[in-house]
Amino acid sequence: MNTAIPYITDDFIENNCHFNDLVEALKDGFSNSAIEVPMRHHHDFHNPDEDKDSTLLLMPAFNPGKELGVKIVTVSPNNGKYNLPAIQGMYLYLDAHKGYIKAILDAKSLTAKRTAAASALASSYLSRKDSSSLLILGTGALSINLIKAHCSVRPITTVYVWGRSFEKAQRICDALKAESFTCTAIAKIEDKIAEVAIICAATLSATPLVFGEFLKKGQHLDLVGAYKKNTREADDQAIIKSSVFVDTYQGGLKESGDIVIPLSSGILSKESIKADLFELCSTTKLGRTSDSEITLFKSVGHALEDLVAASYFYSLFQNKKSTLF
């Protein structure tokens, strides 16, 4: 009997992801009260060669009697200079009844896909249904995934990409030439930020890139970067002008400066945060309530997303394998 543990690679995940399906799977997951998610372990550790901390994340989740998993991830902010992704890791996907490992998945693509799908899921509740334009801030591994995910839930025809390197922004646009939307690299955020329906920030910036003075009625702001308490992608004015939503209260209120700093200063209160994805997906709370409302979604990631995505890709992998025999 072959007892080898299946290994699901980044290539498989990249080539077999359909964001419409993954978004629906996440919607079902956030509606499933049986899934248990402990607070993730978040450990910063010194990285002497870079003179900048790296981070170790351990993210478990359990669907009792069915499946469980844990993601082991490192975040090394300076990896760009080595032409490596900032996020590295593996996901262990297990049987929750007998405890054996069902599969090991590369965490880089798994994380990128589930993060992008979570943003798209939030957008399906928070952006205007007629949103046709998108501005992406950041040129990392998440950027193309976020573009495709957002386009899977809204009729987007125009995409703009900004990065600290214009050349990297242009490379993203070049990689998306065959898509149904136009994609244009821009040199300054201010050139387009007031014109687009959706603004998505996925950077490692320690200081704000999105300033509330530029935001217009009806926009949706998706904040994906700023994963530490002392870093943020949007300023106080953006928070003040927006209806604020988070992926989960568990992590969203504690892990990112985009929420922690305004809470600490009194700019934002816990009570004023409108809803998290559990409440949106279970329809216990509303998302956007008017076309003029500015909505802001802060994502820090959640282990439920990893478990749902691992289950999704494991099923695809098993189906593909069965067709070979």
Side-chain angles (χ1 to χ4, degrees), residues 62-243:
F62 318 100
N63 192 353
K66 296 181 179 179
E67 58 194 356
L68 62 89
V70 60
K71 187 169 72 174
I72 304 168
V73 167
T74 57
V75 184
S76 302
N78 285 355
N79 271 9
K81 70 183 184 182
Y82 303 111
N83 200 29
L84 291 171
I87 298 173
Q88 307 274 349
M90 287 288 177
Y91 193 86
L92 299 182
Y93 180 59
L94 303 96
D95 178 271
H97 176 204
K98 299 176 182 176
Y100 63 87
I101 298 175
K102 297 172 74 173
I104 299 172
L105 296 88
D106 270 331
K108 179 168 70 73
S109 288
L110 179 77
T111 301
K113 300 301 182 188
R114 66 77 150 151
T115 302
S119 283
L121 175 60
S123 180
S124 72
Y125 291 99
L126 301 179
S127 66
R128 296 196 319 268
K129 286 182 167 55
D130 64 351
S131 296
S132 62
S133 54
L134 169 69
L135 169 62
I136 291 281
L137 309 181
T139 56
L142 263 177
S143 298
I144 287 178
N145 288 292
L146 283 162
I147 291 169
K148 290 182 176 181
H150 275 290
C151 288
S152 76
V153 298
R154 289 294 182 252
I156 293 171
T157 58
T158 306
V159 175
Y160 301 101
V161 181
W162 174 89
R164 297 193 189 280
S165 164
F166 183 84
E167 290 72 22
K168 288 183 178 180
Q170 186 59 57
R171 283 203 291 272
I172 287 175
C173 294
D174 292 343
L176 295 169
K177 279 183 177 178
E179 300 296 330
S180 60
F181 49 83
T182 63
C183 190
T184 305
I186 62 171
K188 294 181 179 179
I189 296 172
E190 309 89 84
D191 290 345
K192 294 297 178 183
I193 192 169
E195 298 179 18
V196 297
I198 300 172
I199 303 155
C200 178
T203 73
L204 294 174
S205 179
T207 55
L209 297 170
V210 177
F211 295 94
E213 64 179 295
F214 297 115
L215 298 181
K216 303 297 182 184
K217 290 181 179 180
Q219 289 182 309
H220 172 56
L221 179 55
D222 176 32
L223 302 179
V224 183
Y227 64 98
K228 292 185 177 182
K229 295 178 182 179
N230 62 343
T231 63
R232 60 191 303 191
E233 293 181 299
D235 71 348
D236 283 346
Q237 191 62 26
I239 296 291
I240 291 169
K241 293 178 72 171
S242 301
S243 296

Side-chain angles (χ1 to χ4, degrees), residues 31 35 50 78 98 117 160 162 195 257 288 290 295 302 308:
S31 303
I35 298 177
E50 301 300 326
N78 285 355
K98 299 176 182 176
Y160 301 101
W162 174 89
E195 298 179 18
R288 172 177 290 273
S290 76
T295 54
H302 193 251
V308 169

